[in-house]
Amino acid sequence: MNTLQGARSPLSKRMNRNKIEKKGKRVLGGLIKAVFLIGFCFIILYPVITMVSKAFMQQQDVYDNTVLWIPRHFTADNLTFAFDNMHYSEALRNTLLVVLPSVLLQTVSCMLVGYGFARFEFKGKSILFAVVILTILIPPQQIMTQLYLYFKNFDIFGIFKAISGKSPNLLDSFWPFFILSATGFSIKNGLFIFIFRQSFRGMPKETEEAAMVDGAGPLRTFLSIMLPGAITVIATIVLFALVWGWNDTFYSGLFMRQTRMLPQAFELYNSYLGGNKGLVGGEIAVQLSRFNLEDMQVIALLRNAGVFLVMAPLLVFYMITQRFFVESIERSGLVG
């Protein structure tokens, strides 16, 4: 009996030691992951935290070494100055009128094209899909001259010129954005088509075939079976399209020379802060009494206030849709 207990004692000690070692490795692994995750999050969020902090900070807080992220003297003067001199209301209205319909058109057109590539067989399918991938690789700057001239003298097979005698000029209007979005040729639409194609390819064909057996056509099958399963992917595409369209300076600068949108409004505002005072209306000079634009710290506060105003609507929208965005990270591009 004593011999049996003596044999079990080293075995029990060894088993307990193995359990302790495994538990220690798990704790250490979790600690290392947490450190790396917190570090990466800090690197990504640090510019945003600094921007928000300085947007509400007074000048004396900048020179106070005890103030790091939380302002000691909160103020809305920086935001008021940026709001007035960016003509924010007008720029925000124009941006919403352009971006929201464009996002809707991009999502619908890219979803239909992606579904066609995923579920239908037709001649030239591989070639057309290669062209879609090519639109991702070609920088838009390579075709900016062609786009500008096309929409400056817009015509479809000479129809407008035959009817009215001249081609309409669509520049300084919203139509170039809507046409590009509806035809799947807007910002990053090739990537959106690829994501939708991968998502639809990953869905089981059995449910689609069962719907067809019950008499549902391709459109009914798409609306009733495929579309509900792609809600999270749609939310991701909407978020991407909104962010890229909101921050776009290429197409807005190419097509909108007279109409002010948020990217152009901030560029003019930033140029004024940098010393190019001729770029902004003269009414701004009346509001400079409480700001010293010779001080780089003051300029930094006002510039961060402008960035905050541009980003604020996107931050609100992301907080609303982030659950769908996180859920669809894996499904959007890695399935199939």
Side-chain angles (χ1 to χ4, degrees):
M1 188 70 176
N2 293 334
T3 304
L4 183 60
Q5 290 179 350
R8 287 181 177 177
S9 179
L11 180 61
S12 300
K13 291 180 179 180
R14 189 161 54 251
M15 292 177 63
N16 291 334
R17 187 164 54 250
N18 291 338
K19 291 181 180 179
I20 294 174
E21 290 178 356
K22 290 181 180 179
K23 185 176 180 180
K25 289 180 180 179
R26 286 197 300 268
V27 172
L28 181 61
L31 181 61
I32 294 174
K33 292 178 181 178
V35 170
F36 275 103
L37 182 60
I38 294 173
F40 286 137
C41 291
F42 177 78
I43 293 173
I44 295 172
L45 294 177
Y46 176 77
V48 179
I49 296 173
T50 304
M51 178 267 298
V52 175
S53 174
K54 289 189 175 182
F56 295 93
M57 190 178 292
Q58 290 187 6
Q59 181 178 353
Q60 55 264 39
D61 290 342
V62 177
Y63 296 103
D64 189 348
N65 294 329
T66 62
V67 176
L68 184 58
W69 288 333
I70 301 177
R72 182 166 294 174
H73 303 89
F74 281 90
T75 180
D77 290 344
N78 302 331
L79 296 177
T80 303
F81 180 85
F83 186 94
D84 293 337
N85 296 301
M86 287 175 60
H87 302 278
Y88 187 77
S89 299
E90 176 190 352
L92 179 62
R93 182 182 67 251
N94 293 333
T95 303
L96 290 173
L97 291 175
V98 170
V99 172
L100 294 183
S102 298
V103 168
L104 177 62
L105 292 172
Q106 288 180 64
T107 304
V108 173
S109 61
C110 293
M111 180 169 52
L112 293 175
V113 174
Y115 178 66
F117 278 122
R119 288 303 201 222
F120 295 97
E121 297 295 333
F122 50 89
K123 291 183 179 180
K125 174 181 176 180
S126 301
I127 297 176
L128 290 177
F129 188 70
V131 173
V132 171
I133 299 300
L134 195 62
T135 62
I136 305 175
L137 304 177
I138 297 178
Q141 290 79 5
Q142 298 292 330
I143 57 174
M144 63 180 300
T145 303
Q146 291 81 359
L147 286 175
Y148 179 84
L149 294 176
Y150 179 71
F151 286 109
K152 188 176 186 300
N153 303 285
F154 182 77
D155 208 342
I156 301 176
F157 303 115
I159 296 176
F160 291 104
K161 192 171 184 179
I163 295 175
S164 62
K166 62 178 181 178
S167 301
N169 182 4
L170 298 185
L171 298 180
D172 289 315
S173 70
F174 299 160
W175 284 108
F177 299 92
F178 299 158
I179 293 173
L180 290 176
S181 300
T183 55
F185 199 68
S186 189
I187 306 172
K188 306 294 184 181
N189 280 184
L191 177 62
F192 299 161
I193 292 172
F194 176 78
I195 292 175
F196 274 122
R197 171 184 177 269
Q198 295 299 98
S199 176
F200 287 130
R201 285 185 62 187
M203 294 183 181
K205 293 184 178 181
E206 289 77 10
T207 54
E208 188 178 10
E209 293 172 353
M212 291 182 178
V213 170
D214 291 339
L219 181 60
R220 177 70 180 277
T221 302
F222 172 75
L223 295 176
S224 302
I225 305 298
M226 307 300 288
L227 190 59
I231 295 298
T232 54
V233 180
I234 293 174
T236 302
I237 297 300
V238 168
L239 180 62
F240 282 159
L242 180 66
V243 171
W244 281 324
W246 195 273
N247 297 320
D248 170 59
T249 57
F250 175 76
Y251 287 110
S252 57
L254 185 63
F255 300 137
M256 308 287 284
R257 297 299 180 91
Q258 304 297 327
T259 305
R260 183 177 306 193
M261 296 174 62
L262 278 179
Q264 291 92 339
F266 178 75
E267 285 183 358
L268 292 174
Y269 172 74
N270 190 38
S271 297
Y272 181 84
L273 295 177
N276 296 325
K277 297 179 174 53
L279 295 177
V280 184
E283 70 276 2
I284 193 172
V286 180
Q287 307 177 27
L288 297 181
S289 57
R290 64 182 184 276
F291 295 107
N292 178 18
L293 293 188
E294 301 298 328
D295 190 336
M296 296 303 297
Q297 298 293 344
V298 175
I299 293 176
L301 295 180
L302 298 176
R303 183 177 289 121
N304 279 279
V307 174
F308 177 78
L309 289 178
V310 175
M311 291 182 55
L314 291 180
L315 294 175
V316 173
F317 184 80
Y318 177 74
M319 286 189 291
I320 296 173
T321 61
Q322 60 89 22
R323 179 174 64 88
F324 298 101
F325 176 71
V326 173
E327 289 177 358
S328 61
I329 287 177
E330 181 178 353
R331 296 179 57 185
S332 60
L334 300 179
V335 178

